[in-house]
């Protein structure tokens, strides 16, 4: 026995549940549970990692200057010093919460928000407050209605995960203007590249528009570098300086740095991935709706059909697993009647649609 005990709020923290892998598969697995790029990483990123591997005995540049400059050049950011890099965007969520919220404070999110916001809030002793969405979409009025004197951070994924819906830039700007000055507005742009360059530039400009706003991004999705764990944020100068106070000196490994520089410097790969996604996302939404599985418009790289009941959604999930197709159950996000299905390769998309056609025909 020991008298060593974790802090009470740590015991209340529920760990993040990932999409997982499929054990015991009979053949090749169709992995459509984690919103990964079906093309994998950019070949240039793979080659950059190979070259960097020879120097992994040397610590990386603690300032990550080359990576921040590459991000700045690609994103149209004038001051690379206002860019922070991280071990995945999850680390940004964690460190911003550590900087600005603690016991007695509140973190604000919308009803079907990415679960790491709540995990990080609770882990730091803050309360996570959720406000309702309308038709699975965040709204400024509902968000503002949830703001209190104790609100420290508003996390808003736009497009949202797991719904794929988003607020238009004009609504984001109105929300930004209406937030009281004690609230940090964090726009999570994990799926921004799937919307397009104009949107990416617009949310970047929101950071310059008000000193209370952070834009968060990731290399895990369109860049195909999920296992490399690489994210970044664009922050107001004062917030960037605060963030750097507690960031680990070598929080991003050299292989990820090399891959990130190579990938973000090649817009052709990003455009190809976005075009494939747009084409197949539309096809999947049309096909699912034709099956009677109501599927809202998505702005990300996944779709979220409704099976009408939690039982039928669970049956569909099991049916797909039996065919070695893994999708994401989202009951933990308050969406028990739906499944989240990533947009994969053409073959994978055709396989999941064929399987669901068989499922709906039989039940």
């Amino acid at each position: 026995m020991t008298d060593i005990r974790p802090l009470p709020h740590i015991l209340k923290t529920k760990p993040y549940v990932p999409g997982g892998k499929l054990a015991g598969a009979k053949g090749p697995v169709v992995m459509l549970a984690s919103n990964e790029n079906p093309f994998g990483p950019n070949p240039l990123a793979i080659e950059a990692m190979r070259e960097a591997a020879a120097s992994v005995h040397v610590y990386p540049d603690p300032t990550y200057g080359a990576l921040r400059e590459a991000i700045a050049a690609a994103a149209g950011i004038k001051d690379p010093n206002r860019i922070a890099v991280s071990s995945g965007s999850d680390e940004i969520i964690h460190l911003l919460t550590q900087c600005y919220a603690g016991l007695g404070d509140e973190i604000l999110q919308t009803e079907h928000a990415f679960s790491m916001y709540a995990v990080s809030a609770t882990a730091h002793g803050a309360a996570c407050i959720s406000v309702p969405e309308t038709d699975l979409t965040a709204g400024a009025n509902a968000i503002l209605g949830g703001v209190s004197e104790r609100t420290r951070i508003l996390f808003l994924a736009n497009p949202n995960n797991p719904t794929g819906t988003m607020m238009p830039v004009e609504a984001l700007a109105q929300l930004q203007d209406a937030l009281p000055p004690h609230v940090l507005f964090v726009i999570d742009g994990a799926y921004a590249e799937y919307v397009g360059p104009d949107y990416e530039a617009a949310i970047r400009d929101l950071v310059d528009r008000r000193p209370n706003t952070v834009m968060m991004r990731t290399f895990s999705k369109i860049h195909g570098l999920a296992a490399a764990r690489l994210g970044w944020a664009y922050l107001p100068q004062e917030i960037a300086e605060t963030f750097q106070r507690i960031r680990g000196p070598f929080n991003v490994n050299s292989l990820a740095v090399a891959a990130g520089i190579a990938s973000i410097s090649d817009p052709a790969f990003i455009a190809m991935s976005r075009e494939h996604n747009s084409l197949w996302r539309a096809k999947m939404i049309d096909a699912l709706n034709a099956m009677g599985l109501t599927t809202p418009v998505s702005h990300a790289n996944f779709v979220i059909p409704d099976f009408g009941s939690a039982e039928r959604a669970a049956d569909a999930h099991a049916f797909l697993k039996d065919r070695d197709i893994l999708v994401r159950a989202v009951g933990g996000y308050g969406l028990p009647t739906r499944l989240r299905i990533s947009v994969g390769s053409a073959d994978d998309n055709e396989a999941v649609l064929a399987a669901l056609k068989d499922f709906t025909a039989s039940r």
Side-chain angles (χ1 to χ4, degrees):
M1 287 290 292
T2 176
D3 290 332
I4 299 171
R5 297 286 186 272
L7 295 171
H9 58 269
I10 298 298
L11 293 176
K12 296 179 183 178
T13 304
K14 297 180 181 179
Y16 174 76
V17 179
K21 303 297 180 183
L22 190 57
K26 308 177 192 69
V29 177
V30 176
M31 294 292 298
L32 299 177
S34 299
N35 306 336
E36 296 149 339
N37 189 327
F39 299 111
N42 189 321
L44 296 176
I46 297 173
E47 183 57 33
M49 285 189 280
R50 287 197 182 103
E51 293 178 5
S55 301
V56 294
H57 62 294
V58 178
Y59 285 108
D61 170 15
T63 71
Y64 297 107
L67 175 58
R68 290 189 293 109
E69 288 174 6
I71 292 170
I77 293 171
K78 296 179 181 178
D79 185 1
N81 291 319
R82 290 174 54 191
I83 295 171
V85 298
S86 61
S87 178
S89 57
D90 293 344
E91 186 182 34
I92 299 169
I93 297 168
H94 178 77
L95 292 179
L96 287 175
T97 305
Q98 186 176 344
C99 286
Y100 295 103
L103 289 170
D105 294 330
E106 293 176 352
I107 299 294
L108 193 61
Q109 64 175 25
T110 63
E111 184 178 1
H112 304 298
F114 180 46
S115 62
M116 280 305 298
Y117 309 149
V119 169
S120 189
T122 308
H124 290 90
C128 188
I129 307 300
S130 295
V131 299
E133 297 173 2
T134 300
D135 296 328
L136 304 182
T137 305
N141 289 339
I143 291 170
L144 292 170
V147 174
S148 75
E149 293 182 355
R150 295 195 297 165
T151 306
R152 295 294 172 261
I153 306 175
L154 163 62
F155 283 111
L156 182 67
N158 204 62
N160 185 47
N161 174 27
T163 63
T165 58
M166 65 179 290
M167 293 175 62
V169 173
E170 295 77 11
L172 294 177
Q174 292 169 3
L175 174 60
Q176 184 187 47
D177 289 341
L179 284 170
H182 67 273
V183 178
L184 176 63
F185 183 20
V186 181
I187 302 171
D188 184 346
Y191 299 92
E193 292 93 342
Y194 290 107
V195 183
D198 289 347
Y199 176 67
E200 293 179 76
I203 56 174
R204 174 205 64 202
D205 291 347
L206 288 175
V207 180
D208 293 327
R209 189 170 175 270
R210 288 281 185 272
N212 68 336
T213 303
V214 168
M215 176 184 70
M216 194 166 68
R217 304 287 288 277
T218 184
F219 282 82
S220 294
K221 303 307 176 184
I222 206 165
H223 291 279
L225 294 170
R229 310 309 304 131
L230 182 60
W232 64 280
Y234 181 45
L235 315 97
Q237 186 63 44
E238 183 177 344
I239 295 172
E241 291 171 359
T242 302
F243 185 95
Q244 298 295 355
R245 289 175 181 270
I246 62 169
R247 176 187 66 81
F250 305 108
N251 61 323
V252 177
N253 70 77
S254 296
L255 301 185
V257 169
I261 292 171
S263 187
I264 205 164
S265 303
D266 181 18
F269 180 85
I270 297 169
M272 180 267 292
S273 297
R274 180 170 53 246
E275 289 165 8
H276 169 88
N277 182 76
S278 297
L279 174 67
W280 273 101
R281 183 179 60 197
K283 286 184 177 182
M284 292 173 76
I285 289 172
D286 288 346
L288 291 165
N289 280 319
M291 294 178 204
L293 304 175
T294 304
T295 306
V297 171
S298 172
H299 299 274
N301 67 334
F302 54 83
V303 295
I304 188 164
D306 192 344
F307 290 81
S309 71
E311 181 180 9
R312 192 167 182 241
D315 287 347
H317 191 263
F319 183 92
L320 293 173
K321 283 181 71 174
D322 191 56
R323 295 197 176 190
D324 294 340
I325 300 172
L326 188 62
V327 301
R328 184 67 184 268
V330 285
Y333 286 90
L335 298 164
T337 69
R338 296 180 180 270
L339 296 175
R340 193 190 68 192
I341 305 172
S342 306
V343 177
S345 67
D347 288 345
D348 289 350
N349 298 334
E350 289 171 351
V352 73
L353 291 174
L356 286 174
K357 188 173 183 180
D358 289 346
F359 173 80
T360 56
S362 63
R363 345 196 157 185

